[in-house]
C-alpha cells in the first residue's frame, strides 16, 4: 500500500520566488570592459599583466561607488583565471566561466580573502593575515587579500603590516581600497601601486543607465536618466540605487520613468522654471521673482535646491562664455538659453551673481526660516542687478565724472529701487578746461612732460627704471621685475592726472617688459660706436696704427 493510496501524499508546493537583487548588485561589472569611466587604469593593468610586471600590492582610491571593490575582484579574477580549458594564465580579460572566476565572482574562493577594515581594525586581525600569508594558495595561482576601507586600520595594525607588505611571499597579492587616501600612512602608500579611480562623467552614467533599463524591460525618458546621472555625482552605485527607486516610483502604469517623476522624487526643481527664475532675476522683477520662488516651494522643492540649480545655471553660462564644450546632459532649449545669456552678460556680472548666490546658499543652509532666507537672498540679487558694475563705477569716480555713490558693504547692493538712476544720469559732465596737456605719444614724451612740470625725481625714475609693457595713455602697464619705490605707481598716477586732467590707470605685471629709456640709449650708443668702428676710414686708420683706440667720441645723451 502506497502513501498515495492512503491520501498521505504532500500537496504540490509553490515555487519559491527568486530573491530580488538590487540593480547596484545585479549590474556590478564582471569584466574590465564593463567598468565604465576608468580606461586609463584598465590600460595600465592590461599592460602590466601582458608584460608580467605585476606589483605585489595595489591601492585603489576614489569616491564611493566608482568601482574600487569591483575592480579589486576583477584584478583577483584576472590574476587567477585559468581559461575555459584550464590552461590559461593571467589575463586582462578573465573568461568568467572557469572555476576560479566563478568562485571569486560569487565570493566563495578560499584563496581570495575579503576583509572589511572598518570592523577589523586591530593589530590581531593583521597578524592573522601575516600568519596565513606564509602558506601557499590552496587552489589558485595567487592568494589575494582584499582589504576594503583600509584607512580604518589602526596605527599599530599598519605598522604590523609594513614588513609583509614590502616583501610578501611570491604567491601573495594585496589589494587595498579606500575613500580617504589621506588617512593611509605614507609608509604604506610607498609600498603600493596606486590607482585613482575617477568620478564617472554624467554622460557615461546616462548611457550606462539606458542599457540597464533596456535590460530590465523598462522605458525611461533620456532626460530622466540624465537627471539620475547628475544626482549620482559620479557614482555608479549611487546612480543605480536612485534608478532602482525611480523604477519603483514609476509603478506599473506603463508610463515608464519620466523626468517630472524623477524631479519630484529627488526634490529637484524643474529646469524650465529655474531658467524662468534666472531671467526674472536678471530683469530685476522682484514681485515676479518672489512669486516664482513660492510656486516652486509650494510644489515641494527645497529652497537649497533652487539656489543650487541657480548656481549651476550661472556656472553653465560662464562655461559657455569661455568657450567650453557643451554639456551633453543639457537639452537643446537649455543650450540656446545659455548661449543667449553668455552673449549678453559680462564676466564681472557673472562672478558677482555667483558670489551672491553662494552666500545665499550658505545662509539658507543654516537659517531657521529657509524659504524666507531664500527670498531675502534673491531680493539682494535683484537689487544688485539694478546697480552699475563696481569696477565701472570705481573707474568713473576716479576720473572725477561723478560724486561718490553709497554701496552696501560686501555685495555692491542696497535697497535702491529698480528704477535707480545710472552713473551717467547722476554724474555731471567734466569741465572742458580740465585737460591741461595733451597725452604723450610715447614714453619719452611722458618723461619730458614730467620734467617740464618740475617732477624731476619722477622723470629720473621713468627714464632710468620704468620698463613699459603696454603704453596706451591714460592706461599704462609696467614691469614689476625691477624693484621700484613703493609709492612710485601712486605718485606717478596722481602727478599725471594733475598734469593732463585725466585719471591714469597704471598696472604692474611680473613680466620683463621693454627696455627703459636709459637702456635704449645705451644700446643705441653701443650700436653707433660699433658702426663708427666698422666704417672704412676708421677701420683703415686702426689697421695703419696698431694699438690705436677710438677716444674723444661720445654720443649726445639728450632725452
Amino acid at each position: 500500500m502506497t502513501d498515495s493510496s492512503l491520501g498521505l501524499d504532500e500537496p504540490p508546493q509553490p515555487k519559491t520566488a527568486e530573491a530580488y537583487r538590487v540593480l547596484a548588485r545585479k549590474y556590478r561589472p564582471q569584466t574590465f570592459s564593463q567598468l565604465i569611466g576608468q580606461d586609463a587604469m584598465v590600460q595600465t593593468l592590461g599592460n602590466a599583466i601582458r608584460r608580467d610586471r605585476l606589483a605585489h600590492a595595489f591601492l585603489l582610491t576614489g569616491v564611493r561607488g566608482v568601482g574600487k571593490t569591483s575592480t579589486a575582484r576583477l584584478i583577483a579574477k584576472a590574476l587567477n583565471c585559468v581559461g575555459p580549458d584550464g590552461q590559461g594564465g593571467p589575463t586582462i580579460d578573465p573568461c568568467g566561466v572557469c572555476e576560479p572566476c566563478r568562485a571569486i565572482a560569487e565570493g566563495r574562493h578560499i584563496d581570495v580573502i575579503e576583509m572589511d577594515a572598518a570592523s577589523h581594525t586591530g593589530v590581531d586581525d593583521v597578524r592573522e593575515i601575516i600568519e596565513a600569508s606564509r602558506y601557499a594558495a590552496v587552489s589558485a595561482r595567487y592568494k589575494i587579500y582584499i582589504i576594503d576601507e583600509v584607512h580604518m586600520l589602526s596605527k599599530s595594525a599598519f605598522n604590523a603590516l609594513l614588513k609583509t607588505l614590502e616583501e610578501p611571499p611570491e604567491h601573495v597579492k594585496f589589494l587595498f581600497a579606500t575613500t580617504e587616501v589621506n588617512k593611509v600612512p605614507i609608509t604604506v602608500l610607498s609600498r603600493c601601486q596606486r590607482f585613482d579611480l575617477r568620478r564617472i562623467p554624467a554622460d557615461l552614467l546616462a548611457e550606462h543607465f539606458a542599457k540597464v533599463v533596456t535590460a530590465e524591460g523598462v522605458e525611461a525618458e533620456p532626460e530622466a536618466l540624465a537627471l539620475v546621472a547628475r544626482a549620482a555625482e559620479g557614482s555608479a552605485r549611487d546612480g543605480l540605487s536612485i534608478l532602482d527607486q525611480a523604477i519603483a516610483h514609476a509603478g506599473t502604469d506603463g508610463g515608464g520613468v519620466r523626468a517630472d517623476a524623477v524631479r519630484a522624487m529627488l526634490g529637484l526643481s524643474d529646469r524650465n522654471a529655474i531658467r524662468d527664475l534666472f531671467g526674472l532675476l536678471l530683469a530685476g522683477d522682484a514681485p515676479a521673482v518672489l512669486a516664482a520662488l513660492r510656486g516652486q516651494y509650494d510644489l515641494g522643492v527645497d529652497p537649497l535646491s533652487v539656489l543650487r540649480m541657480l548656481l549651476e545655471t550661472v556656472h553653465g553660462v560662464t562655461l559657455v562664455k569661455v568657450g567650453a564644450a557643451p554639456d551633453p546632459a543639457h537639452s537643446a532649449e537649455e543650450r540656446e538659453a545659455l548661449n543667449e545669456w553668455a552673449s549678453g552678460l559680462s564676466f564681472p556680472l557673472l562672478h558677482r551673481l555667483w558670489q551672491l548666490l553662494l552666500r545665499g546658499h550658505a545662509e539658507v543652509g543654516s537659517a531657521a526660516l529657509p524659504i524666507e532666507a531664500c527670498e531675502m537672498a534673491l531680493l539682494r540679487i535683484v537689487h544688485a542687478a539694478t546697480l552699475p558694475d563696481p569696477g565701472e563705477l570705481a573707474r568713473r569716480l576716479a576720473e572725477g565724472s561723478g560724486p561718490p555713490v553709497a554701496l552696501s558693504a560686501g555685495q555692491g547692493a542696497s535697497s535702491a529701487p529698480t528704477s535707480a538712476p545710472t552713473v551717467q544720469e547722476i554724474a555731471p559732465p567734466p569741465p572742458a578746461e580740465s585737460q591741461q596737456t595733451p597725452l604723450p605719444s610715447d614714453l619719452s614724451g611722458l618723461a619730458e612732460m614730467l620734467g617740464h612740470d618740475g617732477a624731476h625725481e619722477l622723470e629720473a625714475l621713468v627714464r632710468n627704471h620704468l620698463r613699459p609693457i603696454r603704453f596706451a595713455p591714460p592706461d599704462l602697464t609696467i614691469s614689476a621685475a625691477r624693484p621700484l619705490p613703493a609709492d612710485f605707481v601712486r605718485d606717478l598716477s596722481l602727478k599725471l592726472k594733475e598734469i593732463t586732467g585725466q585719471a591714469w590707470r597704471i598696472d604692474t605685471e611680473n613680466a620683463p617688459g621693454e627696455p627703459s629709456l636709459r637702456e635704449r640709449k645705451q644700446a643705441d650708443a653701443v650700436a653707433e660706436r660699433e658702426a663708427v668702428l666698422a666704417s672704412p676710414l676708421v677701420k683703415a686708420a686702426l689697421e695703419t696704427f696698431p694699438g690705436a683706440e677710438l677716444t674723444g667720441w661720445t654720443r649726445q645723451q639728450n632725452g
Side-chain angles (χ1 to χ4, degrees), residues 352-548:
R352 182 162 50 153
L353 285 171
W354 176 265
Q355 292 298 328
L356 290 170
L357 286 169
L358 201 61
R359 176 175 175 179
H361 188 277
E363 291 176 351
V364 173
S366 59
L369 302 172
I371 182 62
E372 287 79 2
C374 187
E375 289 177 340
M376 296 301 293
L378 295 186
L379 286 176
R380 187 164 59 220
I381 296 173
V382 167
H383 294 149
T386 66
L387 294 178
D389 180 80
E392 177 68 14
L393 181 60
R395 186 181 69 81
R396 291 181 175 274
L397 293 177
E399 292 176 357
S401 59
V405 178
L407 298 177
S408 62
Q411 303 106 20
S414 68
S415 56
T418 56
S419 59
T422 63
V423 173
Q424 292 86 344
E425 294 170 344
I426 63 176
E433 66 274 13
S434 60
Q435 175 139 343
Q436 303 172 2
T437 305
L439 297 178
S441 59
D442 54 21
L443 190 61
S444 178
L446 187 145
E448 290 178 1
M449 185 172 64
L450 291 170
H452 292 158
D453 197 72
H456 300 297
E457 184 177 351
L458 285 175
E459 178 193 10
L461 289 172
V462 167
R463 290 188 181 280
N464 297 330
H465 301 288
L466 191 146
R467 291 180 174 179
I469 296 177
R470 177 175 176 268
F471 189 88
D475 291 339
L476 177 62
T477 304
I478 63 176
S479 171
R482 172 176 292 183
L484 288 167
D487 298 331
F488 172 72
V489 171
R490 184 198 65 186
D491 294 343
L492 180 60
S493 61
L494 291 175
K495 190 62 179 177
L496 290 175
K497 180 181 178 181
E498 176 187 333
I499 297 174
T500 64
Q502 297 190 41
W504 282 62
R505 178 178 177 178
I506 303 177
D507 298 322
T508 59
E509 291 184 7
N510 287 323
E514 300 177 5
S516 66
L517 293 175
R518 180 182 179 184
E519 290 170 336
R520 295 179 199 175
K521 290 174 181 148
Q522 290 175 342
D524 291 344
V526 171
E528 186 171 343
R529 180 182 177 86
E530 294 296 330
V532 170
L533 290 174
S535 65
L537 182 61
V538 176
K539 193 173 182 181
L542 293 176
E543 290 175 355
T544 304
F545 303 99

Side-chain angles (χ1 to χ4, degrees), residues 79-116:
L79 297 183
N80 285 326
C81 177
V82 296
D85 57 358
Q87 303 300 318
T91 174
I92 194 63
D93 297 311
C95 65
V97 298
C98 65
E99 176 57 26
C101 284
R102 288 188 288 108
I104 293 172
E106 296 169 5
R108 57 178 175 82
H109 200 292
I110 191 173
D111 291 320
V112 179
I113 302 96
E114 292 192 34
M115 186 184 87
D116 178 20

